[in-house]
Amino acid sequence: MQTELSEKLGVEYAVFGFTPFPAVAAAISRAGGFGVLGAVRYTAPDDLKRDLDWIEAHVEGRPYGLDVVMPAKKVEGVTEADVEAMIPPEHRRFVQDTLAKYAVPDLPRGEASGWRITGWMEQVARSQLDVAFDYPIGLLANALGSPPADVVARAHDQGVLVAALAGSARHARKHKEAGIDIVVAQGYEAGGHTGDIASMVLTPEVVDAVGPLPVLAAGGIGSGRQVAAALSLGAQGVWLGSLWLTTTEADLRSPALTRKLLAAGSGDTVRSRALTGKPARQLRTEWTDAWDDPAGPGTLPMPLQGLLVADAVSRIQRYEVEPLLGTPVGQIVGRMTGIRSVQAVFDDLTRGFEQAVDRINRIAARSGRS
């Protein structure tokens, strides 16, 4: 499971693991992969610094990276309060009516929402980068296309490779033109924000579109044979996110959500705008159904939708209101049937990869004899 890219980054396996949990990111790197910490939930720079300090202390000198969410185009002078003021009153009423229908309690007095996604806003992402570039990160990934040109230049000046996610070959070409080093081809099956093209089609299209830039395959990958398939399609590695949610190192803090993930099949997810305003694959719940119902007010564009539902999502998570409780996750959730350590996941991936490669080698040998 080594490629030119994994060797360049100094990792044993060409497995890049995206996660919001520092303990998972560190465990991925210790297991021989490349852990990538998602920064979107960090609204205070000191919180990000605390967790990067923790990773530094537990990664055993292995490389790791950071994933941010920032638009390529800069908007000057817009504050969170300005954005909040754009949310229509009828949408706020819809949130309150839906929460009341399921008797979701308010947060305790004085307790702030724990699920703020102001990390979608550029000024917050830039404050995250000011912290991150003080650490020896090996990769900066952006989930909203190419980062602004000055961010790409700043990363390159510090020897940091830049990756960007793409849902089409057209998007991938734009990344190449913007000076991106690695393109993550994220298929329709993936958790979080996705496009409309499945991984089996998307990966070779992106490989052909941006070569010789390295491509990572994402979406629908959760076994060693799927890693082997991705590499045979031309990818130089895989980008895995959902698979880590049910590891022992993950800090979901919700037994009910863990149970839902373990019980879900590959058909129990939906691409919905309910969480952020952009299509994002997540567990299908009565919350997503309410937002996707044509009788409702409809979702708002990013970042309005995320700000609108932030408090509601915190309340749903805090009180584990199961009909409404969900999380971004890909169709690979159907393979997530038990809680395992990150190392056990890697053991399974490498074993399955070896078996798949052996099988293909036997087929090739048989073909050579015919």
Side-chain angles (χ1 to χ4, degrees), residues 205-294:
E205 284 188 352
V206 172
V207 168
D208 292 344
V210 303
L213 284 187
V215 173
L216 301 177
I221 301 171
S223 69
R225 54 186 163 173
Q226 289 165 323
V227 176
L231 298 190
S232 38
L233 291 173
Q236 286 206 30
V238 294
W239 178 274
L240 309 182
S242 300
L243 199 61
W244 317 110
L245 289 173
T246 52
T247 57
T248 53
E249 292 89 348
D251 188 20
L252 282 180
R253 300 183 183 179
S254 173
L257 181 55
T258 299
R259 288 195 301 270
K260 291 187 76 169
L261 288 169
L262 295 176
S266 56
D268 292 327
T269 68
V270 63
R271 285 173 75 241
S272 172
R273 298 177 185 269
L275 196 59
T276 69
K278 290 176 69 69
R281 186 169 297 285
Q282 55 202 280
L283 280 180
R284 181 177 180 179
T285 66
E286 293 183 33
W287 177 256
T288 62
D289 287 349
W291 281 105
D292 296 337
D293 189 336

Side-chain angles (χ1 to χ4, degrees), residues 107-122:
L107 293 175
R109 184 181 297 275
E111 180 175 319
S113 169
W115 193 87
R116 297 299 287 172
I117 55 88
T118 50
W120 302 113
M121 300 182 69
E122 184 189 359

Side-chain angles (χ1 to χ4, degrees), residues 11-183:
V11 295
E12 187 176 357
Y13 305 118
V15 174
F16 294 72
F18 165 81
T19 175
F21 305 119
V24 175
I28 290 169
S29 292
R30 289 198 307 270
F34 194 102
V36 181
L37 178 67
V40 70
R41 68 190 179 94
Y42 294 96
T43 57
D46 286 347
D47 290 341
L48 178 59
K49 182 180 186 304
R50 177 201 64 216
D51 283 354
L52 289 176
D53 283 340
W54 191 94
I55 289 176
E56 274 289 301
H58 292 83
V59 82
E60 298 178 356
R62 308 283 182 103
Y64 63 93
L66 192 76
D67 178 279
V68 297
V69 180
M70 62 189 309
K73 296 181 179 179
K74 186 173 183 177
V75 180
E76 298 282 0
V78 177
T79 67
E80 182 179 343
D82 295 331
V83 178
E84 288 268 14
M86 300 177 189
I87 298 174
E90 60 267 27
H91 283 75
R92 294 191 185 278
R93 283 195 299 270
F94 181 77
V95 170
Q96 294 308 315
D97 290 347
T98 303
L99 294 175
K101 177 181 177 181
Y102 292 90
V104 182
D106 290 330
L107 293 175
R109 184 181 297 275
E111 180 175 319
S113 169
W115 193 87
R116 297 299 287 172
I117 55 88
T118 50
W120 302 113
M121 300 182 69
E122 184 189 359
Q123 63 266 34
V124 177
R126 285 184 177 273
S127 71
Q128 294 165 350
L129 294 178
D130 289 340
V131 172
F133 283 134
D134 286 336
Y135 292 82
I137 60 172
L139 177 71
L140 173 66
N142 188 39
L144 273 186
S146 303
D150 67 295
V151 172
V152 176
R154 183 180 179 188
H156 287 166
D157 286 346
Q158 297 195 203
V160 177
L161 297 181
V162 180
L165 277 64
S168 71
R170 178 174 61 86
H171 292 154
R173 291 188 192 97
K174 289 183 178 180
H175 294 337
K176 184 177 182 180
E177 293 168 2
I180 299 304
D181 304 292
I182 302 167
V183 177

